[in-house]
């Protein structure tokens, strides 16, 4: 596994690099022996703290991200690495559960899901109103990504693994483009286009 360590205005000494290499290699050996690469980036956080962001390419199309913050660089890395390890553990458990289901003759998940065309939507708490709304917000970054073919539960798993706010995917059950996103209250929202009769 290729492991890179870099710092933005932070000195990444030999001890920190060794710690990062050993921990990331141990995670890779435990879950994915054929991991592609990982990159740990250290930076300065608020109030003299340190931040660490890890981006790990585990296999083709699976990217894990973890963020940590601490008073020193080592604890910040340990926190980010623990998040990556948790994501990997969930992913591996899901893969094992899915393989066990299909090997026992079970149908694929998207075959057994029944879709309610009149599914209700409940708003638990309204968002606080903002003072000013900018009509032309600044676009920070534009990226081109592949839209995966997935079931809804697999899309939620990818949303967790990629540590992003939203994920567009092609639903294997319906063949339409859907989106899952993380709501402010921590739950997952699912957007599916209305089907014509």
């Amino acid at each position: 596994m290729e492991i890179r360590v870099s710092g933005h205005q932070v000195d990444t000494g030999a001890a920190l690099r060794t710690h990062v290499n050993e921990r990331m290699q141990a995670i890779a050996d435990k879950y994915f022996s054929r991991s592609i690469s990982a990159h740990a980036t250290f930076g300065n956080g608020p109030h003299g703290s340190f931040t660490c962001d890890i981006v790990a390419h585990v296999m083709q199309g699976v990217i894990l991200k973890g963020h940590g913050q601490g008073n020193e660089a080592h604890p910040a890395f340990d926190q980010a690495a623990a998040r990556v390890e948790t994501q990997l553990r969930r992913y591996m458990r899901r893969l094992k559960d899915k393989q066990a289901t299909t090997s026992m003759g079970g149908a694929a998940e998207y075959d057994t899901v029944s879709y309610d065309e009149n599914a209700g939507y409940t708003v638990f708490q309204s968002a606080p109103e903002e003072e000013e709304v900018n009509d032309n917000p600044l676009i920070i970054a534009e990226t081109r990504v592949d839209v995966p073919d997935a079931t809804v539960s697999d899309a939620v798993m990818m949303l967790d693994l990629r540590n992003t706010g939203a994920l567009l995917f092609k639903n294997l059950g319906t063949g339409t483009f859907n989106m899952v996103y993380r709501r402010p209250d921590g739950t997952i929202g699912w957007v599916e286009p209305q089907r014509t009769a």
Side-chain angles (χ1 to χ4, degrees), residues 106-115 151 172-173:
E109 184 176 340
Y110 53 85
D111 292 336
T112 60
V113 174
S114 63
Y115 294 95
T151 62
L172 286 174

Side-chain angles (χ1 to χ4, degrees), residues 122-136:
T122 305
V123 176
F124 295 102
Q125 182 178 359
S126 60
E129 294 188 14
E130 297 180 5
E131 298 285 324
E132 269 185 37
V133 177
N134 187 358
D135 289 338
N136 298 313

Side-chain angles (χ1 to χ4, degrees), residues 115-185:
Y115 294 95
D116 182 7
E117 293 188 18
N118 297 316
Y121 181 81
T122 305
V123 176
F124 295 102
Q125 182 178 359
S126 60
E129 294 188 14
E130 297 180 5
E131 298 285 324
E132 269 185 37
V133 177
N134 187 358
D135 289 338
N136 298 313
L138 181 66
I139 297 173
I140 302 296
E142 178 181 341
T143 57
R144 297 185 185 274
V145 295
D146 293 327
V147 177
D149 293 341
T151 62
V152 176
S153 61
D154 285 346
V156 171
M157 179 182 62
M158 284 187 248
L159 180 75
D160 285 339
L161 290 174
R162 295 179 182 182
N163 200 18
T164 60
L167 176 73
L168 178 69
F169 67 101
K170 187 172 181 183
N171 191 325
L172 286 174
T174 62
T176 60
F177 289 101
N178 289 199
M179 184 175 69
V180 289
Y181 63 97
R182 190 165 309 282
R183 295 167 41 90
D185 61 0

Side-chain angles (χ1 to χ4, degrees), residues 54-133:
I54 299 173
V55 178
H57 296 266
V58 179
M59 55 186 279
Q60 193 66 26
V62 178
I63 300 170
L64 305 176
K65 295 180 181 178
H67 175 77
Q69 186 171 340
N71 292 333
E72 296 179 5
H74 285 265
F77 167 74
D78 289 337
Q79 187 180 62
R83 290 187 175 152
V84 167
E85 189 170 10
T86 300
Q87 292 171 1
L88 263 174
R89 189 170 41 251
R90 286 181 190 157
Y91 180 68
M92 292 305 294
R93 189 178 317 128
R94 259 191 93 87
L95 284 180
K96 287 178 184 174
D97 290 346
K98 189 175 243 183
Q99 288 172 353
T101 302
T102 53
S103 67
M104 297 164 113
E109 184 176 340
Y110 53 85
D111 292 336
T112 60
V113 174
S114 63
Y115 294 95
D116 182 7
E117 293 188 18
N118 297 316
Y121 181 81
T122 305
V123 176
F124 295 102
Q125 182 178 359
S126 60
E129 294 188 14
E130 297 180 5
E131 298 285 324
E132 269 185 37
V133 177

